[in-house]
Amino acid sequence: MATLDICCPTCGATITVRATPDMATKNLTCPFCRNKRPFSHYLNKAQTGGQMQPRVAVSNDQRQQLFQAAKKAQPAARPQRQATQYVAPSANGVVSGRASQPWTISVPSLGASYPLAQGRNVVGRQAPDSQATIQIPCTTTHMSREHLNVDVEPGPGGMMVHSVSLTKATVNPTTLNGQPLAYGARVVVNPGDVVRLSDVDIVFM
């Protein structure tokens, strides 16, 4: 029987479940945090004709390794980020747990981090004619000058919702936690999620 890899919306753990015709109507208990949620809460609704898709995920060990590597790259003077808090999903089904302040993105290969601002942040390659609000110095030109949108918006209960999307259809291949990110899709991210902009990884902190 086919299986799906999904993420717990409360603790972020990766869970493998069997795909059944009536799974969308079921409640699912996370074996890690023991929280029981409707199955639809474990999914992201990307803009793909309204079809529900499995939430992209990395393994728990890989998530922890990437998070620790990115944490070491943080500047010593960086203020401590508030602990992530969790709220119920919003009506559009894409909100899980979000911190009450904008996060930072870390580039482990450069040992650098960049704070996100509320609203739209555009991440891209550093260049004289780049319009990106966060410009990453690269030794190659595989990353576009304006490559990735990171939207930080108020959510339920005063939380901040962080989501990513491609700026245009012509950017080089981009992945979220190893899964292709398609142009037109807007996906909510969690701390520790990794976006690869062609050949550069950025980690959400």
Side-chain angles (χ1 to χ4, degrees), residues 9-42:
T10 301
C11 69
T14 302
I15 306 168
T16 300
V17 297
R18 290 185 298 175
T20 60
D22 61 344
M23 65 193 312
T25 64
K26 300 282 188 179
N27 290 328
L28 181 63
T29 300
C30 174
F32 296 94
C33 68
R34 311 306 301 175
N35 279 314
K36 188 175 184 179
R37 296 286 188 87
F39 180 78
S40 60
H41 292 188
Y42 287 75

Side-chain angles (χ1 to χ4, degrees), residues 3-28 30 36-48 50-57 87-98 161-163 176 186-190 193:
T3 61
L4 294 174
D5 288 333
I6 57 177
C7 268
C8 173
T10 301
C11 69
T14 302
I15 306 168
T16 300
V17 297
R18 290 185 298 175
T20 60
D22 61 344
M23 65 193 312
T25 64
K26 300 282 188 179
N27 290 328
L28 181 63
C30 174
K36 188 175 184 179
R37 296 286 188 87
F39 180 78
S40 60
H41 292 188
Y42 287 75
L43 305 176
N44 276 332
K45 183 183 286 186
Q47 296 176 355
T48 53
Q51 302 250 334
M52 298 300 290
Q53 295 183 331
R55 182 183 179 84
V56 293
V87 296
S90 66
N92 63 12
V94 299
V95 180
S96 55
R98 301 295 171 260
V161 181
H162 295 64
S163 61
L176 171 61
R186 184 178 177 189
V187 185
V188 173
V189 293
N190 277 315
D193 283 349

Side-chain angles (χ1 to χ4, degrees), residues 101-125:
Q101 298 293 330
W103 307 334
T104 62
I105 57 173
S106 174
V107 185
S109 62
L110 299 177
S113 63
Y114 304 87
L116 295 169
Q118 185 172 337
R120 171 152 290 185
N121 303 262
V122 180
V123 181
R125 173 170 49 86

Side-chain angles (χ1 to χ4, degrees), residues 64-109:
Q64 184 65 21
Q65 291 172 2
L66 288 168
F67 188 81
Q68 291 300 325
K71 186 176 180 181
K72 292 178 180 178
Q74 299 299 312
R78 177 178 177 265
Q80 183 176 0
R81 180 174 61 81
Q82 294 187 14
T84 301
Q85 301 180 36
Y86 296 93
V87 296
S90 66
N92 63 12
V94 299
V95 180
S96 55
R98 301 295 171 260
S100 59
Q101 298 293 330
W103 307 334
T104 62
I105 57 173
S106 174
V107 185
S109 62

